[in-house]
Amino acid sequence: MTKKDKPTKKYIFLKILGALEAVFFILSAVSFPLRTVRYTLVSRKVTKKVRIVQISDLHSCSYGKNMKNLINAVDAAEPDIIVLTGDIFDNRTDNKNSDTLLKAIAKKYPCYYVSGNHEYRGNMWETFSRRAESFGVTVLQGENVDIDGIMICGASAKSDIGDSVKVCADNADTNSFNVLLAHFPEKIDFYRSFGKFDLVLSGHAHGGQWRLPPFMNGLYAPGQGLFPKYAGGRYDFDDTTFIVSRGLSRTIERIPRIFNNPELVVIDILPEGEDGE
């Protein structure tokens, strides 16, 4: 190689820079730091601010020793109510992480829990629901609970989910702000058909696993297939706000998350005329 053919320092620098950028891109794509995602709703049905924290699709994944990273994120959000929208436990693991989380949060906050599909696999739901209740968590399967004008309605993830949603709708108070907890987002049109729910909270889709914001919100979700319509985020209808959590699972999927951080969802419900923080 002649002197003229030798790569210049600038060329070497650009090659190194390009390689570092590629490494950074890959690490960013598949990294799993927990995010707290916040939403604000305004309603004439509430007289004071209520903060709901939604936990979904944990699948007993670890968040540090004794689940401290997730517990600290919950504490930092200062919830009035915690809702758990299914697949907190998983039929494929020992679920020690889920036990640790539920024990910790139920001591501090009112917690309301509905089942997901993984909790029914292997006929495990009865075991999981009893464990949750033993920690002080309220399990809802078609029941409604009123908390200062906020009606929490819980639908079962069993095959008879339609029956439990109907019971929730029949017992909803039109003067209250009605929140439906229902694991499957693909059934949103059915949930809305009752005309009773101001807010619907779901999970299950895991954010569509692969995202490419702003071009693709999700590649695939169970029950929705390719390019799911409700992979994660907020969807506003005329009569209902619909929020789908991207969930907290990050270590059990065969296909890793890409540009799809696990998330803790925080929802502030404000009376009309009041500004958020």
Side-chain angles (χ1 to χ4, degrees):
M1 180 182 288
T2 65
K3 196 170 187 180
K4 185 177 180 180
D5 294 329
K6 288 183 178 179
T8 64
K9 290 182 178 179
K10 182 178 179 181
Y11 174 82
I12 295 172
F13 172 77
L14 291 175
K15 292 289 282 186
I16 293 173
L17 182 62
L20 290 174
E21 287 177 345
V23 170
F24 178 76
F25 179 85
I26 293 170
L27 290 176
S28 297
V30 300
S31 65
F32 304 117
L34 173 65
R35 291 195 311 170
T36 297
V37 180
R38 298 180 180 272
Y39 302 98
T40 300
L41 288 69
V42 176
S43 174
R44 59 178 177 77
K45 293 184 177 182
V46 298
T47 58
K48 63 179 182 179
K49 183 179 83 172
V50 177
R51 176 167 290 172
I52 297 175
V53 163
Q54 179 189 8
I55 297 173
S56 195
D57 297 88
L58 175 65
H59 292 274
S60 203
C61 290
S62 174
Y63 278 84
K65 185 177 180 180
N66 296 322
M67 298 295 282
K68 279 300 183 182
N69 294 340
L70 182 53
I71 293 168
N72 289 344
V74 171
D75 289 340
E78 300 181 324
D80 298 304
I81 301 167
I82 292 178
V83 298
L84 302 114
T85 50
D87 286 357
I88 304 304
F89 294 103
D90 192 281
N91 61 301
R92 299 163 293 182
T93 70
D94 61 19
N95 290 292
K96 291 179 181 178
N97 293 321
S98 297
D99 289 347
T100 299
L101 173 70
L102 294 181
K103 286 177 186 177
I105 62 176
K107 289 178 182 178
K108 306 174 188 176
Y109 314 105
C111 297
Y112 301 93
Y113 172 32
V114 297
S115 55
N117 55 302
H118 277 270
E119 284 134 340
Y120 271 102
R121 291 183 179 177
N123 297 316
M124 292 297 294
W125 171 239
E126 187 175 346
T127 297
F128 291 146
S129 61
R130 284 202 305 263
R131 281 165 71 169
E133 289 174 333
S134 73
F135 303 140
V137 175
T138 300
V139 175
L140 301 176
Q141 298 186 87
E143 297 89 358
N144 296 10
V145 177
D146 185 86
I147 309 169
D148 295 330
I150 302 289
M151 183 77 77
I152 305 295
C153 315
S156 167
K158 286 179 68 176
S159 57
D160 62 353
I161 182 174
D163 294 336
S164 65
V165 175
K166 185 178 185 302
V167 171
C168 287
D170 289 343
N171 292 329
D173 183 347
T174 54
N175 294 315
S176 297
F177 187 92
N178 294 293
V179 181
L180 176 66
L181 313 181
H183 186 65
F184 302 113
E186 64 269 22
K187 299 181 183 293
I188 181 59
D189 290 339
F190 173 68
Y191 307 148
R192 291 182 57 233
S193 69
F194 294 94
K196 292 290 187 72
F197 305 115
D198 301 285
L199 173 64
V200 177
L201 301 178
S202 296
H204 187 54
H206 290 217
Q209 284 303 113
W210 292 6
R211 300 179 63 226
L212 191 61
F215 307 106
M216 183 179 72
N217 190 40
L219 177 64
Y220 177 85
Q224 299 184 69
L226 290 171
F227 308 113
K229 187 175 182 180
Y230 305 114
R234 174 174 176 166
Y235 308 87
D236 288 301
F237 300 93
D238 291 340
D239 55 351
T240 304
T241 298
F242 181 38
I243 293 174
V244 181
S245 169
R246 299 187 189 282
L248 290 159
S249 174
R250 57 182 180 176
T251 56
I252 65 167
E253 292 89 355
R254 296 176 183 174
I255 302 173
R257 288 176 179 252
I258 294 180
F259 292 120
N260 180 28
N261 294 67
E263 64 182 27
L264 184 73
V265 174
V266 179
I267 305 153
D268 284 337
I269 305 170
L270 307 178
E272 289 183 339
E274 183 173 322
D275 295 325
E277 293 181 359

